[in-house]
Amino acid sequence: MTIKQLEKITKKASDELLQAKDQRDLEKLRIKYLGRKSELTRILRSIKNLPQKKRPIMGAKANEIRKRIEDLYNDATEKMKISKALDKDEEIDVTIPVKAQAIGHIHPITQMLWRAEEIFQKMGFEIFEPFEIDDDYHNFESVNIPPGHPARDLWDTFWTEDGFIPITHTSSMQVRILKSRKPPIRAVVPGKVFRNERTDPRHEHTLSQIEGIYVDKGISLSDMIGTLKTFFDAFYGKDVQVKVVPDYFPFVEPGNGMNLSCVICDMKGCRVCKHTGWLEILGCGMIHPNVLREGGIDPDVYSGFAWGFGLDRLVMLKYGIEDIRHFRNGDLRFIRQF
Ligand code: PHE
């Protein structure tokens, strides 16, 4: 046996591996060149019979060849996998919905909206979309805010010339949903809301909101806290703390605000949570009996909770975005980062 013979084996192995058509061919070649009964294995075994002087040289060479064939085999297997995957991609099934869009970029608010919807759907919530322009009854009166009620000042309302409202909040859907379903009712309403705000880094005229309502027998504030904590844990992917504080909204009694442990500093104290460890994040509470009644639900039998939060703020906290106006100013350099 000579070094030349060893080189010849490598050459043959390499040529044949290149010709392999499928995984089975490759396996046959692996056995032929690297298996226990292969020529190379036989050579490696017979080295001990060589004269003392020749052993180290031939041993080293044979091992080097073995390693080279192994590398060739691994390369060929890898290439086979890739070409198979490519073949698969080329089979076009026109009935499958598109996996990725061909052009453009999904806005971070939309990405996170999809994420939020998925979490709520897993929890059994149905999704309703609001009317972007609605009437006074649905935006205000039906949720316990009659004409002239001072609570209207809580929302900086735009009006159309003929007296309609680009909705100030997704609560505009509460009574519609209550009327259209029988308890148990679990619904979320993601939608755009519009306010006549002077804009600054924390205020915008257009916001994304997610409203939620849950109505059934025996529903209490603790169900609300559990539901929202479960959502925020999933949304931020960590164990967050929630704290319920008193607040006022005409359509909930008691009315509450919910605070979230600061997701930026984990309550160590930072600029965003003003060193309190807590973030004010949403309005919520037990649905007012007047609203349940307006929706055709007997408040002596059923109870429920509702909440509304701004998605923009949740996304700002998730990514550490410092100015809410980035979301809608059309600068693609901002959008492309997500
Ligand atoms: N609609 C309220 C707002 O926009 C939020 C809210 C919803 C509060 C439901 C309580 C219950 O400010």
Side-chain angles (χ1 to χ4, degrees), residues 154-155 168-171 174 193 195 209 211-212 249 251-252 256 282-285 306-309:
L154 292 173
W155 293 273
T168 62
H169 56 181
T170 40
S171 304
Q174 282 197 10
V193 302
R195 297 182 187 180
Q209 227 182 27
E211 183 93 4
F249 301 94
F251 32 91
V252 278
N256 302 105
L282 58 82
C284 54
W307 78 82
F309 59 68

Tab-separated table of all heavy atoms in Angstrom, residues 154-155 168-171 174 193 195 209 211-212 249 251-252 256 282-285 306-309, ligand 1:
chain	number	residue	atom	x	y	z
A	154	LEU	N	-63.504	65.203	29.314
A	154	LEU	CA	-62.366	64.288	29.460
A	154	LEU	C	-61.792	63.923	28.092
A	154	LEU	O	-60.668	63.456	27.991
A	154	LEU	CB	-62.802	62.996	30.169
A	154	LEU	CG	-63.206	63.087	31.645
A	154	LEU	CD1	-63.768	61.751	32.111
A	154	LEU	CD2	-62.003	63.462	32.501
A	155	TRP	N	-62.594	64.081	27.049
A	155	TRP	CA	-62.118	63.751	25.700
A	155	TRP	C	-62.143	65.001	24.826
A	155	TRP	O	-63.140	65.732	24.819
A	155	TRP	CB	-63.006	62.661	25.079
A	155	TRP	CG	-62.841	61.363	25.817
A	155	TRP	CD1	-61.904	60.407	25.582
A	155	TRP	CD2	-63.601	60.907	26.933
A	155	TRP	NE1	-62.029	59.377	26.485
A	155	TRP	CE2	-63.062	59.658	27.327
A	155	TRP	CE3	-64.688	61.429	27.663
A	155	TRP	CZ2	-63.569	58.919	28.393
A	155	TRP	CZ3	-65.191	60.697	28.728
A	155	TRP	CH2	-64.637	59.463	29.085
A	168	THR	N	-63.735	59.104	19.925
A	168	THR	CA	-62.695	59.523	20.871
A	168	THR	C	-62.174	58.329	21.653
A	168	THR	O	-61.136	58.405	22.289
A	168	THR	CB	-63.249	60.543	21.878
A	168	THR	OG1	-64.302	59.904	22.623
A	168	THR	CG2	-63.798	61.774	21.182
A	169	HIS	N	-62.950	57.249	21.657
A	169	HIS	CA	-62.519	56.022	22.339
A	169	HIS	C	-63.275	54.818	21.779
A	169	HIS	O	-64.354	54.966	21.202
A	169	HIS	CB	-62.698	56.115	23.862
A	169	HIS	CG	-64.098	56.437	24.319
A	169	HIS	ND1	-64.430	56.586	25.639
A	169	HIS	CD2	-65.250	56.640	23.619
A	169	HIS	CE1	-65.732	56.856	25.740
A	169	HIS	NE2	-66.247	56.902	24.543
A	170	THR	N	-62.690	53.644	21.959
A	170	THR	CA	-63.327	52.426	21.443
A	170	THR	C	-64.495	51.983	22.332
A	170	THR	O	-65.176	51.006	22.003
A	170	THR	CB	-62.279	51.303	21.309
A	170	THR	OG1	-61.416	51.363	22.446
A	170	THR	CG2	-61.461	51.465	20.049
A	171	SER	N	-64.724	52.710	23.433
A	171	SER	CA	-65.914	52.414	24.258
A	171	SER	C	-67.181	52.628	23.445
A	171	SER	O	-68.266	52.192	23.845
A	171	SER	CB	-65.938	53.306	25.509
A	171	SER	OG	-64.750	53.167	26.241
A	174	GLN	N	-69.187	49.502	23.127
A	174	GLN	CA	-69.651	48.705	24.279
A	174	GLN	C	-71.107	48.267	24.151
A	174	GLN	O	-71.423	47.075	24.247
A	174	GLN	CB	-69.466	49.516	25.573
A	174	GLN	CG	-68.030	49.532	26.067
A	174	GLN	CD	-67.927	49.963	27.523
A	174	GLN	OE1	-68.923	50.085	28.229
A	174	GLN	NE2	-66.705	50.203	27.973
A	193	VAL	N	-58.521	55.879	17.436
A	193	VAL	CA	-59.359	56.904	18.060
A	193	VAL	C	-58.720	58.266	17.817
A	193	VAL	O	-57.512	58.361	17.559
A	193	VAL	CB	-59.568	56.635	19.574
A	193	VAL	CG1	-60.190	55.265	19.786
A	193	VAL	CG2	-58.269	56.758	20.356
A	195	ARG	N	-58.426	62.508	18.770
A	195	ARG	CA	-58.635	63.541	19.779
A	195	ARG	C	-58.032	64.869	19.332
A	195	ARG	O	-56.950	64.907	18.757
A	195	ARG	CB	-58.026	63.088	21.106
A	195	ARG	CG	-58.740	61.846	21.594
A	195	ARG	CD	-58.254	61.364	22.905
A	195	ARG	NE	-58.889	60.080	23.208
A	195	ARG	CZ	-58.679	59.370	24.287
A	195	ARG	NH1	-57.836	59.828	25.200
A	195	ARG	NH2	-59.288	58.227	24.472
A	209	GLN	N	-56.242	52.139	20.090
A	209	GLN	CA	-56.719	51.733	21.407
A	209	GLN	C	-57.212	50.296	21.353
A	209	GLN	O	-57.635	49.823	20.301
A	209	GLN	CB	-57.901	52.634	21.797
A	209	GLN	CG	-57.805	53.167	23.200
A	209	GLN	CD	-58.998	54.013	23.616
A	209	GLN	OE1	-60.110	53.859	23.118
A	209	GLN	NE2	-58.746	54.899	24.550
A	211	GLU	N	-59.996	48.205	23.465
A	211	GLU	CA	-61.035	48.140	24.481
A	211	GLU	C	-61.302	46.675	24.776
A	211	GLU	O	-61.124	45.828	23.899
A	211	GLU	CB	-62.304	48.746	23.861
A	211	GLU	CG	-63.480	48.838	24.767
A	211	GLU	CD	-63.524	50.203	25.445
A	211	GLU	OE1	-62.670	51.067	25.125
A	211	GLU	OE2	-64.410	50.400	26.275
A	212	GLY	N	-61.734	46.384	25.996
A	212	GLY	CA	-62.148	45.009	26.269
A	212	GLY	C	-63.364	45.006	27.164
A	212	GLY	O	-63.517	45.907	28.002
A	249	PHE	N	-64.348	57.211	35.293
A	249	PHE	CA	-64.923	57.203	33.945
A	249	PHE	C	-66.414	56.980	34.141
A	249	PHE	O	-66.790	56.110	34.937
A	249	PHE	CB	-64.351	56.058	33.087
A	249	PHE	CG	-62.855	56.115	32.917
A	249	PHE	CD1	-62.028	55.404	33.785
A	249	PHE	CD2	-62.284	56.873	31.907
A	249	PHE	CE1	-60.649	55.466	33.646
A	249	PHE	CE2	-60.903	56.928	31.761
A	249	PHE	CZ	-60.079	56.228	32.631
A	251	PHE	N	-68.610	55.423	32.644
A	251	PHE	CA	-69.209	54.132	32.270
A	251	PHE	C	-68.741	52.961	33.122
A	251	PHE	O	-69.052	51.811	32.824
A	251	PHE	CB	-68.963	53.847	30.782
A	251	PHE	CG	-67.655	54.407	30.268
A	251	PHE	CD1	-66.499	53.652	30.299
A	251	PHE	CD2	-67.605	55.708	29.772
A	251	PHE	CE1	-65.304	54.171	29.837
A	251	PHE	CE2	-66.401	56.236	29.303
A	251	PHE	CZ	-65.247	55.476	29.345
A	252	VAL	N	-67.977	53.238	34.173
A	252	VAL	CA	-67.563	52.152	35.081
A	252	VAL	C	-67.753	52.596	36.531
A	252	VAL	O	-67.593	53.764	36.871
A	252	VAL	CB	-66.088	51.737	34.851
A	252	VAL	CG1	-65.959	50.785	33.682
A	252	VAL	CG2	-65.181	52.937	34.655
A	256	ASN	N	-61.430	52.592	37.664
A	256	ASN	CA	-60.045	52.386	38.092
A	256	ASN	C	-59.034	52.755	37.018
A	256	ASN	O	-59.370	52.856	35.850
A	256	ASN	CB	-59.800	50.908	38.434
A	256	ASN	CG	-60.719	50.411	39.508
A	256	ASN	OD1	-61.659	49.685	39.247
A	256	ASN	ND2	-60.477	50.848	40.718
A	282	LEU	N	-53.653	52.175	31.878
A	282	LEU	CA	-54.996	52.064	31.289
A	282	LEU	C	-56.103	52.458	32.247
A	282	LEU	O	-55.905	52.563	33.456
A	282	LEU	CB	-55.241	50.636	30.778
A	282	LEU	CG	-55.147	49.454	31.728
A	282	LEU	CD1	-56.426	49.265	32.536
A	282	LEU	CD2	-54.946	48.185	30.906
A	283	GLY	N	-57.293	52.680	31.641
A	283	GLY	CA	-58.508	52.920	32.403
A	283	GLY	C	-59.335	51.653	32.403
A	283	GLY	O	-59.367	50.922	31.410
A	284	CYS	N	-59.990	51.368	33.535
A	284	CYS	CA	-60.781	50.140	33.608
A	284	CYS	C	-61.799	50.256	34.741
A	284	CYS	O	-61.904	51.303	35.376
A	284	CYS	CB	-59.868	48.935	33.844
A	284	CYS	SG	-58.786	49.089	35.285
A	285	GLY	N	-62.532	49.203	34.986
A	285	GLY	CA	-63.491	49.205	36.084
A	285	GLY	C	-64.636	48.266	35.804
A	285	GLY	O	-64.678	47.603	34.765
A	306	ALA	N	-64.640	46.309	32.138
A	306	ALA	CA	-64.215	46.858	30.847
A	306	ALA	C	-62.873	47.548	31.051
A	306	ALA	O	-62.536	47.955	32.160
A	306	ALA	CB	-65.238	47.852	30.321
A	307	TRP	N	-62.118	47.638	29.978
A	307	TRP	CA	-60.877	48.413	30.040
A	307	TRP	C	-60.626	49.047	28.692
A	307	TRP	O	-61.219	48.646	27.685
A	307	TRP	CB	-59.691	47.526	30.427
A	307	TRP	CG	-59.183	46.701	29.274
A	307	TRP	CD1	-58.321	47.105	28.286
A	307	TRP	CD2	-59.533	45.344	28.953
A	307	TRP	NE1	-58.112	46.079	27.377
A	307	TRP	CE2	-58.847	44.989	27.769
A	307	TRP	CE3	-60.361	44.384	29.568
A	307	TRP	CZ2	-58.956	43.735	27.182
A	307	TRP	CZ3	-60.469	43.137	28.969
A	307	TRP	CH2	-59.777	42.820	27.797
A	308	GLY	N	-59.747	50.029	28.669
A	308	GLY	CA	-59.304	50.592	27.405
A	308	GLY	C	-57.862	51.037	27.567
A	308	GLY	O	-57.529	51.721	28.535
A	309	PHE	N	-56.999	50.590	26.672
A	309	PHE	CA	-55.619	51.091	26.756
A	309	PHE	C	-55.132	51.552	25.392
A	309	PHE	O	-55.661	51.149	24.359
A	309	PHE	CB	-54.641	50.092	27.388
A	309	PHE	CG	-54.516	48.752	26.702
A	309	PHE	CD1	-53.946	48.626	25.440
A	309	PHE	CD2	-54.930	47.599	27.366
A	309	PHE	CE1	-53.808	47.390	24.844
A	309	PHE	CE2	-54.800	46.344	26.763
A	309	PHE	CZ	-54.243	46.244	25.505
B	1	PHE	N1	-62.582	54.837	27.164
B	1	PHE	C1	-61.640	55.217	28.158
B	1	PHE	C2	-60.670	56.254	27.522
B	1	PHE	O1	-60.551	56.287	26.348
B	1	PHE	C3	-60.869	54.037	28.693
B	1	PHE	C4	-61.736	53.098	29.472
B	1	PHE	C5	-62.368	52.037	28.833
B	1	PHE	C6	-61.895	53.229	30.830
B	1	PHE	C7	-63.176	51.144	29.561
B	1	PHE	C8	-62.664	52.362	31.571
B	1	PHE	C9	-63.303	51.309	30.913
B	1	PHE	O2	-60.037	57.024	28.212
